[in-house]
Amino acid sequence: MPRHNDDVVLAIDAGTEGLRAAVVDASGTIRGLGRASLRTAYPAPGRAEQDPAEWEAALWAAARAAIESSGRRAGDIRGVCADGTTSTVVCLDGAGACLRPAILWSDVRAAEEAALIGAAGDPVLIRAGGGNPSAEWFPCKALWLKRREPETWKRASTIFCCADWLAWKLSGERTLNLNTATMRGFYDARNGGAPRGLYETAGIGGLVERLPERVVRPGEVIGGLSAEASALAGLPQGIPVVAGGGDAFVGVIGLNALEPGQVAMITGSSHVITAHVRAPTTVRGLFGSFPDALYPGSDLLEGGLASSGSVLRWFTEGFIGQKVTTAAEAAGVKPLAYLDQLAERIPPGSEGLIVQEHWQGSRCPWVDSASRGAIRGLTLLHRPEHLYRAIMESVAFGAALILERMEAAGVSIEGIRVCGGPSRSALWMHIHADVTGKPIALPREPESVLLGSAMLAALGAGLYPTLQEAAAAMSGTASTILPDAGRHALYKKLLKRYVATYEALGPVSRAEAAEALEGTP
């Protein structure tokens, strides 16, 4: 099929805060955008859930808004692809009804189950950082369902993740996408597929039978858009529905970070940092490497922070009062931009403040779901802008530790390609550059996750012959932020304080988490 900028696809991204859809042309330009908000319920500490009924309403509303705002006809859409949050677990009965709210990726209720799976001692667990898998991961939540909600488990015909649910709503086909199955379920396409031995030993017997039988690679055509989806989304029936994957990893595609040594950092409510490696690699405290996670022959190494943008949002929404809002209005900027201006005047180190951003536990490099957030060093000197900056610095410290472990494993890191909401803060990106000592490359199209889904849709629709060609043609760099050598040297010293904070508080947090689990259903 000849390609030109009149060829457009529909990309869908289901994130934590909302669902977005975009009409994207073959050059990677977003022509139309639609958004719909999503609500998260927090029924108990460490728990987070969303209602798939809200996902569905948001899906059709965002798709229609994107098409309408694009100025293109629905008949111009060549294909559609959706990504979603990983390890967001959905349970369906045989008729397709959801049996309970979806357990969100950030939910860490399955800490005990993570320990049980870790105790199984299966060799595949090496890809979980060398210890127990994170309580966020899909098998841990599946085991929690089997142990704590046996009736749900019994009635469940299908258990899969958010991206697979979206693909099912679009195509009517229940499939398992290889990306999230590999990254969060220990699936290995090179060695027998699902890890039946681990599941049986860990007590999740029956999970494989509840997974969709058909496994699809990112960019593979699942089927045609169903008649029901056609009517609800306002799209032609039968256009290709293309397999996506986890939102962060689809963002890696959108950043065109597909070759060994290229590092991508996807920011948002959490941080995901990935690097392609030339051969299978394991690093204690990091995840992977994951075989064929994005394309055949790829090996992807991953590190991540469970809470990053979500901590800054928690602070600004809960603790920034009318005084800041009024001052921001007087300055003609939004409150976050105003806080950026205030925080920029504060020296590196936030005048003695150290924040541990583990509001939802530590994903990497400590893989400690029991760890909790902390603020250390408060004095009467400190103002809200100090804490605002210290939160930014804490996230950058966590990223620096992940990059250190990647480099120790032989990954050569010349720079980091970054996208996501936090990347829109110039201050935060400068802090990342100064803390890590690495250049930060910002993409031409900030919506890189949506762009990654668009690249996969373009691949499945035949607009490009390979994923690499689609990524190269549809992406580009807008600017690069270079680190300051002096500030980097100072931050290296402050990084030791950040590590010392975790080492001092970790045992206390784990003991308190164990107490909290007692009596929790």
Side-chain angles (χ1 to χ4, degrees):
M1 178 184 295
R3 62 180 183 273
H4 45 74
N5 287 353
D6 290 336
D7 290 324
V8 291
V9 295
L10 183 68
I12 295 163
D13 167 43
T16 306
E17 304 301 322
L19 188 146
R20 302 174 302 159
V23 174
V24 186
D25 69 24
S27 73
T29 301
I30 291 180
R31 299 295 182 180
L33 190 63
R35 294 184 176 90
S37 297
L38 296 173
R39 297 179 299 175
T40 301
Y42 300 96
R47 298 191 180 190
E49 298 180 343
Q50 290 186 342
D51 183 357
E54 290 192 16
W55 294 353
E56 183 167 9
L59 171 61
W60 310 131
R64 287 182 174 275
I67 297 166
E68 183 177 352
S69 65
S70 73
R72 301 298 179 89
R73 298 173 303 166
D76 294 335
I77 306 293
R78 305 297 186 202
V80 57
C81 178
D83 65 77
T85 53
T86 65
S87 292
T88 293
V89 178
V90 187
C91 301
L92 303 181
D93 67 13
C98 285
L99 297 173
R100 68 169 333 277
I103 303 177
L104 200 61
W105 64 271
S106 58
D107 188 300
V108 291
R109 73 182 70 187
E112 184 176 327
E113 285 72 23
L116 290 173
I117 292 174
D122 194 283
V124 303
L125 291 169
I126 191 67
R127 297 205 299 270
N132 295 340
S134 169
E136 299 171 66
W137 282 25
F138 185 94
C140 305
K141 290 171 178 169
L143 182 56
W144 184 92
L145 285 166
K146 186 174 183 180
R147 297 179 72 218
R148 315 294 180 115
E149 293 187 3
E151 283 303 311
T152 301
W153 178 267
K154 182 178 179 180
R155 294 175 59 198
S157 170
T158 300
I159 300 177
F160 54 8
C161 74
C162 177
D164 297 323
W165 181 93
L166 289 164
W168 168 62
K169 278 294 173 183
L170 291 165
S171 68
E173 299 287 335
R174 300 193 193 192
T175 57
L176 184 69
N177 80 83
L178 182 61
N179 173 252
T180 57
T182 301
M183 303 291 295
R184 294 294 179 264
F186 299 103
Y187 195 95
D188 187 345
R190 301 174 190 170
N191 295 290
R196 288 181 178 270
L198 169 65
Y199 290 172
E200 291 291 339
T201 304
I204 332 175
L207 177 57
V208 172
E209 289 69 30
R210 288 167 171 81
L211 298 174
E213 184 176 354
R214 183 183 171 196
V215 180
V216 289
R217 296 182 181 275
E220 180 179 339
V221 176
I222 295 172
L225 191 74
S226 70
E228 181 181 5
S230 171
L232 291 167
L235 289 168
Q237 182 178 348
I239 63 172
V241 175
V242 181
D247 51 0
F249 309 114
V250 170
V252 175
I253 297 171
L255 287 170
N256 189 23
L258 298 175
E259 299 300 325
Q262 293 178 338
V263 174
M265 184 162 71
I266 316 302
T267 70
S269 296
S270 64
H271 268 33
V272 173
I273 302 171
T274 67
H276 284 274
V277 291
R278 298 187 183 279
T281 303
T282 57
V283 181
R284 188 166 189 85
L286 301 185
F287 303 146
S289 59
F290 297 104
D292 303 340
L294 291 181
Y295 58 87
S298 65
D299 281 280
L300 196 64
L301 192 62
E302 178 201 356
L305 308 176
S307 304
S308 56
S310 57
V311 182
L312 203 64
R313 185 175 59 254
W314 166 88
F315 172 68
T316 55
E317 290 181 353
F319 297 93
I320 296 302
Q322 188 59 42
K323 182 178 179 180
V324 168
T325 302
T326 301
E329 290 174 353
V333 298
K334 294 181 179 180
L336 287 181
Y338 180 72
L339 284 169
D340 274 8
Q341 293 174 6
L342 295 180
E344 195 168 6
R345 302 170 191 167
I346 295 170
S350 302
E351 298 191 285
L353 274 189
I354 290 289
V355 169
Q356 181 173 286
E357 82 297 342
H358 298 173
W359 266 238
Q360 287 288 101
S362 166
R363 185 180 295 161
C364 294
W366 291 299
V367 195
D368 185 355
S369 59
S371 184
R372 290 294 177 262
I375 304 168
R376 173 178 164 226
L378 279 168
T379 71
L380 293 177
L381 162 75
H382 294 112
R383 311 300 300 166
E385 55 266 32
H386 285 86
L387 184 51
Y388 183 82
R389 182 182 180 109
I391 291 170
M392 288 182 163
E393 290 175 336
S394 74
V395 172
F397 288 145
L401 292 177
I402 290 168
L403 295 174
E404 284 183 4
R405 296 210 180 186
M406 287 183 172
E407 288 187 308
V411 178
S412 176
I413 304 174
E414 296 182 358
I416 311 166
R417 304 181 187 194
V418 185
C419 70
S423 70
R424 291 181 170 87
S425 168
L427 172 62
W428 209 351
M429 291 302 99
H430 277 283
I431 289 173
H432 272 83
D434 291 340
V435 170
T436 63
K438 305 295 182 184
I440 301 292
L442 300 174
R444 180 186 68 203
E445 174 48 67
E447 300 285 1
S448 294
V449 176
L450 275 169
L451 190 58
S453 273
M455 292 170 179
L456 291 171
L459 174 65
L463 304 185
Y464 292 97
T466 68
L467 181 59
Q468 286 78 0
E469 289 182 64
M474 297 173 72
S475 67
T477 299
S479 62
T480 301
I481 297 171
L482 300 177
D484 178 272
R487 288 193 292 268
H488 177 58
L490 173 59
Y491 274 129
K492 287 180 72 173
K493 297 178 181 178
L494 296 173
L495 180 60
K496 295 179 181 178
R497 297 185 190 175
Y498 173 84
V499 172
T501 299
Y502 171 77
E503 291 175 343
L505 295 180
V508 177
S509 295
R510 287 188 289 274
E512 292 176 348
E515 290 178 8
L517 280 172
E518 293 180 5
T520 302

